[in-house]
């Protein structure tokens, strides 16, 4: 066995973005700089990695355009790294817009045998005060620290669990936050200070994670696409026509971002029931930024109650995976 290595996978995003001038913080083009070039902006990166670093460019995309082929390639690269005895941990550079969804996907499908750390940036690599190099250094520090297995997100000096992290601001540097519970650790001057005990060794997941058995993960990679699932919002003046149109177009599942305790406008409720009667999966969560719905407002479907514990963007990914498993059975 060779010296333990760190694998860094690049997918693009703002951290690899390029603008016309150093003062330009918006209007840049994401995913222009290679992951190898990102490493060159951190002079002591190999020292922080505590060993050799291996890079692989998975994609160069703006994460708002993340799609299944990129996810599938990323999953395969992660699986290969996890199976390699010489790999100590994996770091992934990613855009912020869909980072929480990718983190949840990896958390749902990959075994928690080694650290997998995603990082990002809110300013392009060409910015006068780019945040990407520090975030990358911190991510490598977390990955190499001999710390905890599972999927983590590192940004702004904070370490977040995949099940909790969300993007909460469109441009500030502290855009990633765990609304319920706060960060799991802090990165301070090249050292990791964990704020929660290492029990269990990977972030606890809602029971929905069990909807994708480990034996099914490789089977899902053979799919050309995941089942079609959409999010609809319930609110004042909500109408049935949007739900009916989605069902007519062939949607397989709908996640409802409900008001308050995952409640749904009466004008939409009947349409959701019609959709359920036609075999469309319906799960409900809340559009509230903080707090979790309690089961009394969610009806009798246990899966629906479980998924309400996730933000709707992650519940949508969880439903796609659960539907895919059902279709493969």
């Amino acid at each position: 066995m060779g010296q333990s290595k760190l694998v860094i996978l690049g997918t693009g995003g703002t951290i690899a973005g390029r603008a016309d001038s150093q003062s330009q913080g918006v209007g840049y083009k994401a995913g222009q700089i290679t992951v190898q070039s990102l490493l060159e902006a951190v002079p002591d990166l190999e020292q922080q990695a505590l060993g050799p670093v291996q890079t692989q460019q998975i994609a160069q995309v703006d994460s708002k355009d993340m799609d299944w082929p990129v996810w599938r390639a990323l999953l395969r690269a992660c699986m290969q790294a996890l199976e390699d005895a010489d790999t100590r941990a994996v770091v992934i550079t990613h855009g912020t817009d869909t980072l929480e969804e990718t983190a949840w996907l990896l958390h749902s499908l990959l075994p928690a045998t080694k650290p997998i750390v995603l990082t990002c940036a809110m300013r392009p690599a060409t910015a006068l005060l780019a945040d990407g190099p520090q975030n990358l250094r911190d991510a490598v520090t977390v990955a190499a620290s001999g710390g905890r297995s599972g999927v983590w997100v590192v940004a702004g000096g904070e370490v977040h669990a995949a099940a909790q992290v969300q993007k909460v601001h469109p441009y500030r540097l502290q855009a990633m936050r765990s609304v319920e519970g706060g960060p799991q650790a802090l990165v301070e001057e090249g050292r990791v200070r964990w704020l929660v005990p290492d029990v269990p060794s990977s972030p606890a997941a809602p029971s929905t994670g069990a909807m994708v058995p480990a034996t099914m993960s490789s089977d899902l990679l053979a799919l050309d696409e995941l089942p079609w699932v959409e999010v609809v919002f319930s609110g004042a003046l909500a109408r049935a026509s949007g739900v009916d149109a989605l069902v007519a177009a062939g949607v397989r599942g709908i996640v409802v971002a409900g008001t308050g305790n995952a409640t749904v406008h009466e004008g939409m409720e009947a349409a959701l029931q019609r959709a359920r009667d036609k075999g469309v999966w319906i799960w409900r969560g809340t559009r509230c930024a903080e707090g979790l719905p309690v089961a009394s407002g969610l009806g009798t479907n246990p899966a629906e109650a479980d998924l309400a514990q996730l933000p709707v963007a992650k519940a949508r990914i969880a439903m796609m995976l659960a539907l895919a498993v059902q279709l493969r059975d």
Side-chain angles (χ1 to χ4, degrees):
M1 184 177 358
Q3 186 179 3
S4 181
K5 67 185 176 185
L6 199 68
V7 174
I8 302 183
L9 307 175
T11 67
T14 295
I15 192 171
R18 189 188 301 276
D20 293 334
S21 70
Q22 286 185 306
S23 61
Q24 190 173 352
V26 295
Y28 57 86
K29 190 169 180 59
Q32 300 299 296
I33 296 173
T34 67
V35 64
Q36 184 61 45
S37 296
L38 295 181
L39 269 58
E40 295 170 3
V42 188
D44 67 342
L45 189 131
E46 285 206 6
Q47 179 181 341
Q48 290 300 117
L50 304 178
V53 172
Q54 176 183 312
T55 64
Q56 182 180 349
Q57 195 73 51
I58 301 297
Q60 284 283 49
V61 298
D62 187 322
S63 77
K64 71 178 178 59
D65 299 321
M66 186 59 67
D67 57 20
W68 177 237
V70 175
W71 266 353
R72 188 169 52 190
L74 180 61
L75 281 163
R76 286 173 174 158
C78 287
M79 287 178 177
Q80 182 177 5
L82 292 175
E83 292 169 358
D84 185 350
D86 290 343
T87 300
R88 184 167 68 258
V90 178
V91 172
I92 301 167
T93 59
H94 198 286
T96 58
D97 284 348
T98 58
L99 185 147
E100 63 197 81
E101 293 160 73
T102 297
W104 179 251
L105 177 87
L106 300 178
H107 175 72
S108 299
L109 294 181
L110 297 176
T113 56
K114 298 175 183 179
I116 298 175
V117 183
L118 294 94
T119 193
C120 55
M122 292 301 294
R123 293 172 178 165
T126 53
L128 183 61
L129 295 175
D131 55 322
Q134 184 65 58
N135 285 344
L136 179 56
R137 186 180 190 271
D138 289 347
V140 167
T141 298
V142 172
S145 65
R148 307 178 189 187
S149 299
V151 180
W152 306 96
V153 171
V154 173
E158 298 179 340
V159 183
H160 300 273
Q164 300 169 346
V165 67
Q166 298 180 63
K167 183 175 181 178
V168 298
H169 201 281
Y171 63 84
R172 290 180 183 166
L173 298 186
Q174 296 293 131
M176 309 307 296
R177 189 184 306 166
S178 294
V179 176
E180 291 292 319
Q184 304 288 293
L186 302 175
V187 186
E188 301 166 329
E189 294 299 318
R191 302 187 67 179
V192 184
R193 177 164 64 92
W194 290 94
L195 304 176
V196 295
D198 189 15
V199 180
S201 59
S202 60
S207 60
T208 53
M211 287 186 174
V212 185
T215 54
M216 291 295 297
S217 296
S218 58
D219 292 339
L220 294 182
L221 297 185
L223 297 177
D224 292 331
E225 60 183 5
L226 292 180
W228 181 22
V229 175
E230 290 291 348
V231 175
V232 299
F233 280 77
S234 180
L237 309 181
R239 296 168 57 179
S241 54
V243 173
D244 290 337
L246 285 171
V247 174
V251 75
R252 299 303 301 267
I254 295 174
V255 176
V256 185
T259 46
N261 193 39
T263 53
V264 177
H265 191 287
E266 61 183 2
M268 185 182 286
E269 190 78 63
L272 292 171
Q273 186 57 55
R274 288 195 298 273
R276 195 191 298 271
D277 292 343
K278 292 181 179 180
V280 177
W281 285 23
I282 307 295
W283 287 345
R284 290 193 284 178
T286 179
R287 67 185 202 184
C288 293
E290 296 187 44
L292 300 172
V294 294
S296 61
L298 300 177
T300 58
N301 184 342
E304 189 172 315
D306 288 339
L307 267 294
Q309 307 308 300
L310 289 174
V312 292
K314 294 178 185 178
R316 176 172 171 262
I317 302 305
M319 182 185 279
M320 287 179 176
L321 297 176
L323 277 166
V325 169
Q326 185 193 61
L327 294 173
R328 295 285 289 179
D329 289 342

